[in-house]
Amino acid sequence: MVDVRKILTVGLLLLLVVSSGSAGAVMRPYVYRPTVPDTAFAVIALYKVGDYSGVLEGCEWLMAIKTPFDSWGYAYGEDNEAKYTAMAIMALVRGESIARGRYFDTINSAAYWLIYKQNPDGSWKDYTDTALAYLALREFLKSKYVNDKLPGFREQLTEATKRARAWLEMHEPRTDEERIWGYLALGDVKKLEALHPKGDLVAYRAFALAYLGRKTQLSGDFRLPRAVAMALYATGSDKYREELLKMEHFGFWGVLHFRTLDLLNVAMIKGFMDLKSAACPYVGLIKASSDWQRVALAKYYVMCGLKPQLPENYSSLLPWQVAEIARIDALLGMNYSTPVAYLLSRSEEGIWKDFYNTEYVVWVFRSLNVTYNYSVSLRYLERNLTWMATTKDAKTGNPVYYNVPTYYFAYAVIVFKEFGMTKALNETLSLLRERQYPNGAFPYTEGSLAGITSTSTVAWALQESGLNESDIYSKATSFLRSVLYADIPSLQPLGKTVRLDNATFLLVKDSKYVGNQTDQVFTDGLDGYIVVYPRESPLSVSAIAVKGFHAASPWREHGITRTQVLVVLLLAAAIGGVWYYLRRMEKRRIVGKKKKLLKKVTEE
């Protein structure tokens, strides 16, 4: 089934990117989406190491992707959940200490949402939700930001945390991740120290121990931004800070918004090679479960410098897959004679199964300079193309080619151009031109949903054929660029004024949020400002320091503080001084009285 939500999200992104053009702007890949766990823990970690610009950027993204109910799901448009709302609360509490008044209402509303969603038994959805919700509400209660103007709110918060803790104490976590959050919530350092998790959970455990005041050592590498952030929180290491900042995208942290293989398909086109660095870290995570999947993934592994595992038994594979094995072997400098010999033995008068398999084998053979009588295969391809274009489907009355996948015609362009088959080439280009949508995109089949894979395959095939000056190519690459890149304009400094059309400036002065301005801001006297571009549905958030952002402690004071001790000592000293002065004066008075009495006695 088609995921309508994803389609709508891509469509919205396209509209935003297209509308964001500006003179002096720089095109940058926009292939990630902000996610709450990655952005929230990045904020928490950067706050601890004093990177307050990063904190404010992350907080503004959390504000941008929250639901109308001041709660959060994993990412924008996804169902709100207690654990993600809890993470956001913890991040925004820290942001509030830098820009007081900016996040106050949202934090209180989000905390109220958690209370409202708490089950009668004190839990939320599951163990992790309960542990994190308890942790966030407890932090919130300790903060200065509880709105005491709401009658009974503090009491409700207190009761919610008591019930949540009781539930956690009565239930056992089942996974290492649940154990980490549960032991953290309950403050059980010994059980945390006894855990030996693997992968990114090593950083989770280190975060939990550091949160509870225990020092920990880390040296490993972690994949997800949230894990790198937790490693930074635990160690304060410059290594993890640099890694985390490299993972920042337009002010947020997250995961790929598009499929990894889609991005690598586009990266094969000139001008889009920078997408490779975004996609390659994820390729190794895609595991094949069958021989045909291993073949399909092979070219992507090679693109990213990984060695693919190719099957040696070809009996269950399609001809194009065996041809692909030969092509990959050649790219790796290996002997490819075995798959070529297998294909030659399976040819049926120059045909391998159907149009696509035949054209793919012919393309690979030609690129490998295989000695073969190509003419018989080329005649089949030309006849089959004409048949697809002129024959009607008995059920629909449409031409048969309406149901033919676009990539069939993409590879046909390469083959017909390579062999100088002008008539067949022009006929194929005509079919592609007809199928291309006005925005430059290509669907999988006639009239279906436009896709990145189909569009990039056509553009790559035209490029391979030397037809990258064609209107089809230009429109296709224009579509890909509009979807996968953002045009973020630069700020325009004019003395103490900074301008950016269609932007909102959030002003911070003396660690307080002091309001918004649009399009431009006078920076004199500010701690700094946050630029949200564009004003509606932001693509980019940047926090710019002027005098420098500062954080006041978000936590309420408990017990006797150093200041209070000093005040008491000064007061005691003052009281002691007064007592000493009065005592001395009393002694003088008594001595004087005795002298007067002695003098009187003497005179008598």
Side-chain angles (χ1 to χ4, degrees):
M1 294 180 64
V2 174
D3 189 334
V4 176
R5 185 166 59 198
K6 288 184 178 179
I7 295 169
L8 292 176
T9 302
V10 173
L12 174 62
L13 177 61
L14 174 57
L15 290 174
L16 291 173
V17 173
V18 169
S19 67
S20 66
S22 177
V26 177
M27 296 287 288
R28 291 172 55 195
Y30 206 98
V31 296
Y32 294 87
R33 61 174 178 161
T35 55
V36 170
D38 296 295
T39 300
F41 280 106
V43 165
I44 293 168
L46 291 175
Y47 181 86
K48 188 175 182 183
V49 298
D51 188 340
Y52 298 141
S53 293
V55 169
L56 293 174
E57 290 170 357
C59 285
E60 284 307 312
W61 270 111
L62 290 173
M63 295 288 281
I65 64 175
K66 65 185 177 69
T67 74
F69 307 103
D70 287 341
S71 52
W72 285 263
Y74 175 75
Y76 179 76
E78 299 194 18
D79 292 340
N80 47 14
E81 297 184 45
K83 58 177 168 282
Y84 301 127
T85 302
M87 295 172 189
I89 288 173
M90 293 171 69
L92 293 177
V93 162
R94 288 157 174 80
E96 178 70 7
S97 73
I98 304 167
R100 292 193 304 277
R102 173 61 182 166
Y103 312 113
F104 181 87
D105 290 339
T106 300
I107 297 168
N108 278 271
S109 182
Y112 185 83
W113 183 88
L114 280 179
I115 295 173
Y116 177 75
K117 288 293 183 179
Q118 189 177 27
N119 296 321
D121 64 359
S123 69
W124 279 268
K125 180 181 177 182
D126 57 28
Y127 194 93
T128 298
D129 281 66
T130 305
L132 283 165
Y134 167 67
L135 194 65
L137 290 179
R138 191 178 65 186
E139 262 202 6
F140 179 50
L141 265 172
K142 291 180 179 179
S143 78
K144 301 172 182 176
Y145 309 132
V146 177
N147 188 353
D148 286 317
K149 293 181 180 180
L150 298 174
F153 186 41
R154 187 177 292 275
E155 289 73 17
Q156 287 179 291
L157 288 166
T158 302
E159 179 61 24
T161 56
K162 287 180 179 178
R163 290 165 54 225
R165 184 178 183 91
W167 188 93
L168 290 169
E169 289 173 341
M170 292 172 60
H171 293 78
E172 287 296 323
R174 295 170 296 178
T175 66
D176 276 350
E177 183 171 358
E178 287 184 349
R179 292 183 188 98
I180 290 168
W181 296 127
Y183 299 157
L184 168 58
L186 296 174
D188 199 328
V189 173
K190 289 184 178 179
K191 287 185 177 179
L192 274 172
E193 290 176 336
L195 274 180
H196 298 286
K198 297 180 180 179
D200 282 355
L201 290 180
V202 173
Y204 284 45
R205 172 182 173 272
F207 170 86
L209 286 169
Y211 187 95
L212 295 174
R214 297 298 191 273
K215 291 184 178 181
T216 183
Q217 298 292 325
L218 277 180
S219 59
D221 294 321
F222 304 101
R223 182 177 63 86
L224 291 173
R226 72 199 72 161
V228 176
M230 291 184 202
L232 172 60
Y233 182 98
T235 65
S237 165
D238 286 339
K239 169 193 171 182
Y240 292 124
R241 183 175 180 274
E242 290 172 7
E243 286 183 18
L244 186 62
L245 293 178
K246 286 179 183 177
M247 292 176 165
E248 184 180 6
H249 311 286
F250 301 94
F252 65 79
W253 288 262
V255 296
L256 284 181
H257 180 72
F258 301 94
R259 294 189 308 172
T260 303
L261 303 188
D262 281 349
L263 295 180
L264 288 175
N265 282 327
V266 180
M268 295 168 64
I269 303 169
K270 293 177 181 177
F272 293 87
M273 280 77 84
D274 50 0
L275 296 177
K276 184 176 164 182
S277 60
C280 279
Y282 293 86
V283 169
L285 303 175
I286 305 174
K287 304 301 181 183
S289 59
S290 64
D291 282 348
W292 73 264
Q293 288 180 350
R294 291 185 184 91
V295 175
L297 286 172
K299 73 174 182 179
Y300 303 111
Y301 270 62
V302 172
M303 280 182 70
C304 295
L306 302 174
K307 187 175 181 179
Q309 292 183 336
L310 296 172
E312 297 180 358
N313 184 354
Y314 309 144
S315 60
S316 63
L317 300 177
L318 294 171
W320 81 264
Q321 294 168 331
V322 180
E324 179 69 355
I325 291 174
R327 194 179 74 87
I328 296 298
D329 283 344
L331 288 174
L332 296 174
M334 299 169 60
N335 189 317
Y336 52 85
S337 60
T338 300
V340 167
Y342 178 89
L343 287 169
L344 290 172
S345 69
R346 295 300 190 274
S347 172
E348 297 181 4
E349 298 181 355
I351 301 172
W352 285 271
K353 192 174 178 61
D354 58 19
F355 185 88
Y356 176 68
N357 280 278
T358 301
E359 68 179 355
Y360 204 96
V361 171
V362 168
W363 170 59
V364 171
F365 276 10
R366 183 71 165 185
S367 64
L368 299 180
N369 294 316
V370 174
T371 301
Y372 168 71
N373 181 12
Y374 292 95
S375 59
V376 65
S377 298
L378 297 174
R379 284 197 298 271
Y380 161 76
L381 293 173
E382 190 169 31
R383 288 196 310 270
N384 200 267
L385 176 68
T386 302
W387 176 82
M388 287 189 289
T390 58
T391 304
K392 301 286 186 180
D393 186 300
K395 292 183 179 179
T396 65
N398 294 325
V400 169
Y401 74 84
Y402 274 28
N403 299 321
V404 174
T406 299
Y407 64 84
Y408 277 42
F409 302 125
Y411 282 92
V413 167
I414 299 176
V415 172
F416 294 147
K417 183 67 166 62
E418 175 66 23
F419 287 92
M421 301 170 66
T422 305
K423 180 181 177 182
L425 173 62
N426 289 336
E427 189 173 356
T428 305
L429 292 173
S430 178
L431 295 178
L432 286 173
R433 193 172 281 109
E434 175 191 325
R435 181 166 290 190
Q436 190 172 31
Y437 289 147
N439 64 359
F442 281 93
Y444 179 74
T445 55
E446 189 79 21
S448 65
L449 184 68
I452 291 176
T453 297
S454 295
T455 307
S456 61
T457 301
V458 172
W460 168 79
L462 292 168
Q463 175 183 285
E464 291 296 293
S465 305
L467 299 173
N468 45 335
E469 298 295 327
S470 65
D471 61 325
I472 305 175
Y473 179 86
S474 298
K475 290 171 65 177
T477 53
S478 177
F479 167 79
L480 293 170
R481 192 167 294 279
S482 68
V483 171
L484 299 174
Y485 286 73
D487 220 354
I488 307 297
S490 302
L491 293 171
Q492 302 169 19
L494 302 168
K496 292 186 177 181
T497 299
V498 175
R499 182 172 182 85
L500 180 60
D501 292 339
N502 196 23
T504 295
F505 293 86
L506 311 177
L507 314 183
V508 180
K509 185 176 182 179
D510 299 329
S511 297
K512 296 179 182 177
Y513 165 63
V514 294
N516 295 357
Q517 291 183 7
T518 58
D519 299 338
Q520 67 178 23
V521 62
F522 182 68
T523 63
D524 194 33
L526 296 177
D527 293 355
Y529 54 91
I530 309 165
V531 187
V532 180
Y533 177 85
R535 288 197 290 269
E536 300 295 331
S537 301
L539 289 171
S540 173
V541 175
S542 301
I544 312 297
V546 179
K547 290 168 53 180
F549 295 110
H550 303 279
S553 172
W555 316 118
R556 290 184 294 117
E557 306 293 353
H558 294 280
I560 301 176
T561 65
R562 291 182 180 180
T563 301
Q564 290 171 328
V565 170
L566 181 61
V567 169
V568 170
L569 290 174
L570 290 173
L571 184 60
I575 293 172
V578 171
W579 178 84
Y580 176 78
Y581 173 78
L582 293 174
R583 179 75 174 172
R584 187 173 179 183
M585 292 300 294
E586 178 66 13
K587 285 182 177 181
R588 286 182 178 181
R589 188 183 68 80
I590 292 172
V591 170
K593 188 175 180 180
K594 286 182 177 180
K595 285 182 177 181
K596 287 181 180 180
L597 182 61
L598 180 62
K599 182 177 180 181
K600 185 176 179 181
V601 171
T602 304
E603 289 176 350
E604 292 177 350

